[in-house]
Amino acid sequence: MLLTNKSIKKTQHMMKRISIILTAAALMSLTLSSCSDDDSYETSDNAGHGDGTYVTSGQWVDLGLPSGLLWASCNVGAEYPEQYGNYYAWGETTTKIEYNWNTYKYCMNGDYHQLTKYCSNSSYGYNGFTDNFTTMQTEDDAATANLGGGARTPYSFDWQELIDYTTQEDFTLYGIDGKLLTASNGNSIFIPFAGERIDGRLENVGFAYYQSASLNTTEYSTSIMTTYKNYYRLEMSGRDRCTGLPVRAVRQR
């Protein structure tokens, strides 16, 4: 049987997960799970958490939110919750080598004062262009393009709901640092500190910067969820649209 590069990489990742768990804690039983499985799996104890801490598996997690939104258990492009996944500039649906204004899809001449979409101020529009779009359209949504099935990038108010209705704590999942968000119904998701891509570099690993589908008040920036280690809450802030950020999808039940 001929193994593909993808199957080889997946096997290597599974072996790495097994190795980390067995060396981190002497667990009596072990259940491995990807984002497409249905049952919960127990995390390693290398973050100082007891045996009662679980990350809910399956592609979508019901956190009992008032809106009824389900949150993806993995970043777009990831197979497991601890993987960083892909990085996207805001309003772009594919990855690329460099993330800056020169490569950004919706501006001319590498100048954020020459935007060609999502512009409400003629001073930032190409030749005075405006369209007054302030939220990401479906055709520009990386979650929708890559996952389908009603998936989309969360708006800033979706992130705020998640912040308001979960508890957040630093957590290490299979050797990767991030935040564990636990809802009152006992279900949890893990958000890795995946950093961001600027130019051709991965920077600021140790921070979580995640896209929202909402623009910020500044014409050239977007609203994001941000947090980091030893900072015991999540909050909304901003990032340049051209920066490559991870995406965590939501959908309705």
Side-chain angles (χ1 to χ4, degrees), residues 87-119 124-126 129 131 133-137 139-142 197-199 211-216 218-223 239-245:
Y87 296 77
Y88 301 92
W90 195 87
E92 297 185 4
T93 59
T94 58
T95 61
K96 52 191 178 183
I97 301 300
E98 292 194 353
Y99 294 82
N100 52 46
W101 289 112
N102 288 319
T103 65
Y104 185 57
K105 182 177 182 179
Y106 293 120
C107 78
M108 297 290 290
N109 306 312
D111 184 354
Y112 62 78
H113 288 91
Q114 298 186 45
L115 298 175
T116 60
K117 193 173 184 179
Y118 300 105
C119 183
Y124 287 88
Y126 179 64
F129 166 83
D131 57 13
F133 292 158
T134 58
T135 57
M136 188 183 294
Q137 295 192 305
E139 63 267 25
D140 299 323
D141 192 319
R197 288 202 171 273
I198 299 175
D199 295 324
Q211 279 194 20
S212 83
S214 309
L215 288 178
N216 207 341
T218 304
E219 283 293 326
Y220 56 84
S221 68
T222 176
S223 178
R239 240 1 172 228
D240 286 353
R241 298 188 201 181
C242 63
T243 304
L245 299 179

